[in-house]
Amino acid sequence: MKQKMTFRRMAMCALLVAMVSACDFSALSDAADDFVVLIGLEPINTYATVQITDAASGELVDADVTASFTGQNGEDVIDMYSDPIQSQNVEEGILGFGINNGITPSEGAPAEVQVWFRAKGYLPASKMVRITQEGDSDFGVKLTKKNNAPQGINSTSAKTSTGSDNATMQELNIEAASDDQESSTTLSIPAGLVFKDADGNDLQGELNVEVVNFDPGTTESLSALPYYPEAENANETSRVLAMAVMEVTDASGRQAASIGGGAGTSSKAQSGGAYFGTCTQNNSPISFTPPASIAFNVFAGTFNPNESVIFTVSGVGGLGATLAKSVGQSIVGECTINPQTGVISGYFSGTGSILGFHQNVTSTTTATININRNGWAGPVKGKVYNNGILKEFNIAAGSNSTQINSLAAESFTVEITEPVFAKIENHSFANNPTAEIFLLSAPSNMVDETTMNFTLACPDNSQKVRITNLKASLNYRKTGANGPWRTTSPTFIFSEEEKALTGGSFLAYNMEPNQEYTFTTTYDGKAIKIHEVFETNKVYNFEIPASSADICD
């Protein structure tokens, strides 16, 4: 019987092989010579791929990314060996992970994983991965590069100092505003606060405070929000009113994860983590002396001051935080709204990297998106958006329609992002519940659907991939193109004769003959990239680089 085994257990197995072959039993010598270590892996029923792209360029992020898993099913995330994982390092902008086979996701009971992303030179971000069926699903997240942010994302930084007690010596007020000044974030840090890193150590000396403001009224900024809150009820949709990222670091590069100190500070303000609260125009859920405060200038006309506004703060990068499923699950903060000036302000405890306000808008409008494929095959992806509201959709291969629930009664832009760009603006689903989108004509010589076969080769030709199966993600597009990357899931072939994985195949769409394509496949965070000219009936060779050769014997 095959037994699941991780590479952490391979050392024990290799030791046993060495002991057997070292014994002086000549009758066993041939068997020992032929013996190989074969790892039988349990099939993974549910697998998710997340494309991580640069918010400005649209390219896959080439920096090393750390993805951490929290949320309802955060503890059910597994790697390709079916071992539970809390985080994973990602190469070439493709994250792949499985869900424990004990979880069977469905439309009524989806598997929900909140994934938090960090990469050097980029702002932190989070993505709710909601999986509604077994099999393979794919998603996307955009990371904002600090020195190359899209329109509507503006940052300001300032410095302050700590004294001998590691507390801030002076008050600091810092504002980041959009170019038109209609959206802004103002952060106020009083004197006497002590910033602590994730290990509880005080930050010392000169502190750099950076505030980044995201304007939900700007299309590019709305599409690149570091976190999009989900409405709890099926007949509601979430409208982001304001959002910002705040980071505090000292000269040694340590990052603040919580705030302590300050005269009269509530004990609740001593820790980091995720804090949630609601506020209405004339009512605050809780009152305490705040260690810091934040005020958002909200885009005019986007919120109703008579409805509750939800105030969210995540711990640094969100690491270790679990998002509340319902408002009021953990209420720490104080909010006020000034409907005349459009300013929402609140107090928070901790130095949450991502801070924001949103409002749940009640709606019974159901939108239908119809597409004319015009020669394009495969899945179609898109989004519907307006001021502060963003809904993504997928149209499956072979289908020409999808529905989106709970849109507010106002005009929206409908945009197709894959496989080719298309857009209609100012469509009112309240007046016309169906939007018709025509894609540009596909190239006449395009192969709309094809099975592509490949072989696997280890760096050392004498080595083989000694595992029974493999779960991986694959992205591809025409080399040098600026369009979206397509996502597919390879099927691997196990050779009983060679006792190894020898290759496999994957389904590809919209391929042009005699054109070079770039293929990037990622397994367990490791990446393989090749450039090949597409030809029908061609067998491609995926050569495993030395840096990823831990799956070879």
Side-chain angles (χ1 to χ4, degrees):
M1 182 177 68
K2 293 176 181 177
Q3 181 180 3
K4 181 177 80 72
M5 184 185 307
T6 70
F7 283 115
R8 292 188 292 276
R9 302 185 193 118
M10 273 191 69
M12 181 178 293
C13 186
L15 177 62
L16 292 175
V17 173
M19 290 172 62
V20 171
S21 60
C23 295
D24 188 19
F25 297 107
S26 58
L28 297 178
S29 60
D30 291 340
D33 290 340
D34 294 336
F35 187 79
V36 296
V37 177
L38 177 63
I39 301 177
L41 297 182
E42 179 183 0
I44 297 174
N45 297 333
T46 305
Y47 193 77
T49 298
V50 183
Q51 279 190 19
I52 310 168
T53 55
D54 185 291
S57 69
E59 296 298 310
L60 292 172
V61 172
D62 57 5
D64 289 339
V65 179
T66 299
S68 302
F69 310 107
T70 63
Q72 174 181 295
N73 295 104
E75 295 183 354
D76 299 312
V77 174
I78 56 177
D79 61 12
M80 74 178 192
Y81 313 116
S82 293
D83 286 340
I85 53 174
Q86 295 179 329
S87 64
Q88 183 169 292
N89 294 327
V90 184
E91 296 179 355
E92 297 294 341
I94 311 175
L95 167 66
F97 63 89
I99 299 294
N100 188 300
N101 284 348
I103 304 296
T104 303
S106 65
E107 286 284 352
E112 296 181 341
V113 179
Q114 193 77 35
V115 189
W116 300 88
F117 299 90
R118 275 199 171 275
K120 186 176 181 180
Y122 285 85
L123 296 174
S126 181
K127 173 75 176 181
M128 169 60 78
V129 173
R130 180 175 283 107
I131 305 171
T132 58
Q133 61 184 6
E134 287 189 316
D136 299 321
S137 303
D138 62 277
F139 306 84
V141 67
K142 294 183 179 182
L143 299 189
T144 298
K145 205 167 191 176
K146 293 183 178 180
N147 61 2
N148 187 30
Q151 183 180 354
I153 302 176
N154 301 82
S155 64
T156 304
S157 61
K159 297 186 183 298
T160 187
S161 300
T162 64
S164 58
D165 58 354
N166 297 332
T168 52
M169 298 176 64
Q170 62 273 336
E171 180 181 1
L172 177 65
N173 293 287
I174 180 173
E175 180 188 57
S178 60
D179 293 339
D180 58 13
Q181 300 295 309
E182 289 190 330
S183 172
S184 65
T185 302
T186 302
L187 174 68
S188 299
I189 299 176
L193 294 188
V194 177
F195 290 92
K196 299 175 180 292
D197 66 14
D199 297 322
N201 301 312
D202 295 351
L203 272 62
Q204 300 175 338
E206 186 177 66
L207 304 181
N208 184 71
V209 182
E210 183 175 18
V211 176
V212 184
N213 180 74
F214 289 77
D215 179 5
T218 303
T219 299
E220 294 83 356
S221 175
L222 179 62
S223 297
L225 290 177
Y227 160 64
Y228 195 89
E230 300 286 339
E232 180 67 19
N233 299 319
N235 67 334
E236 292 182 334
T237 190
S238 179
R239 185 195 301 279
V240 176
L241 303 177
M243 189 160 291
V245 168
M246 185 190 75
E247 293 184 322
V248 180
T249 55
D250 65 11
S252 63
R254 292 183 302 171
Q255 188 171 33
S258 63
I259 298 176
T265 301
S266 165
S267 60
K268 292 181 180 180
Q270 303 297 322
S271 62
Y275 297 121
F276 300 80
T278 63
C279 58
T280 59
Q281 184 174 348
N282 301 309
N283 182 41
S284 298
I286 193 170
S287 178
F288 62 92
T289 302
S293 64
I294 192 163
F296 291 101
N297 185 43
V298 179
F299 185 76
T302 58
F303 77 96
N304 181 352
N306 297 315
E307 298 291 337
S308 292
V309 174
I310 302 169
F311 173 38
T312 64
V313 180
S314 77
V316 59
L319 303 184
T322 299
L323 296 187
K325 285 287 293 181
S326 61
V327 175
Q329 182 172 337
S330 177
I331 299 176
V332 178
E334 183 176 2
C335 311
T336 60
I337 301 175
N338 187 326
Q340 282 72 43
T341 62
V343 172
I344 298 177
S345 61
Y347 303 131
F348 63 92
S349 58
T351 63
S353 285
I354 303 172
L355 309 96
F357 286 93
H358 70 278
Q359 194 168 50
N360 290 337
V361 181
T362 301
S363 174
T364 57
T365 303
T366 298
T368 300
I369 312 295
N370 289 338
I371 58 169
N372 184 319
R373 288 181 171 269
N374 220 350
W376 295 96
V380 173
K381 295 182 180 181
K383 55 188 178 182
V384 175
Y385 57 89
N386 195 356
N387 291 326
I389 296 177
L390 176 67
K391 295 249 184 189
E392 297 175 323
F393 63 83
N394 292 318
I395 300 176
S399 175
N400 298 319
S401 181
T402 191
Q403 287 189 329
I404 303 174
N405 296 323
S406 301
L407 284 179
E410 53 194 80
S411 296
F412 287 88
T413 296
V414 185
E415 191 172 289
I416 300 297
T417 56
E418 184 183 310
V420 63
F421 181 81
K423 181 170 72 171
I424 58 174
E425 297 183 281
N426 299 320
H427 185 90
S428 172
F429 289 100
N431 296 329
N432 181 3
T434 301
E436 304 277 351
I437 302 183
F438 292 81
L439 305 187
L440 295 175
S441 298
S444 58
N445 66 335
M446 190 176 68
V447 180
D448 57 358
E449 180 177 313
T450 183
T451 298
M452 303 183 68
N453 300 303
F454 63 89
T455 60
L456 283 176
C458 289
D460 184 338
N461 291 333
S462 66
Q463 293 181 320
K464 300 290 183 181
V465 182
R466 302 294 187 185
I467 53 181
T468 55
N469 55 58
L470 183 63
K471 207 55 173 157
S473 306
L474 188 142
N475 281 7
Y476 63 95
R477 76 174 184 189
K478 190 189 299 186
T479 302
N482 295 319
W485 290 85
R486 305 301 299 264
T487 299
T488 187
S489 297
T491 299
F492 292 88
I493 297 173
F494 177 76
S495 169
E496 290 286 352
E497 180 181 356
E498 298 188 41
K499 296 294 186 291
L501 290 182
T502 56
S505 64
F506 58 89
L507 193 62
Y509 297 98
N510 309 320
M511 304 291 289
E512 295 182 57
N514 305 316
Q515 296 294 315
E516 183 181 273
Y517 283 78
T518 299
F519 303 90
T520 300
T521 184
T522 302
Y523 65 95
D524 201 32
K526 304 294 182 63
I528 303 172
K529 179 181 285 187
I530 66 170
H531 304 277
E532 291 283 352
V533 173
F534 169 66
E535 301 171 15
T536 56
N537 301 318
K538 179 178 180 179
V539 178
Y540 299 86
N541 182 47
F542 278 51
E543 185 173 332
I544 299 170
S547 61
S548 304
D550 55 354
I551 64 172
C552 297
D553 66 2

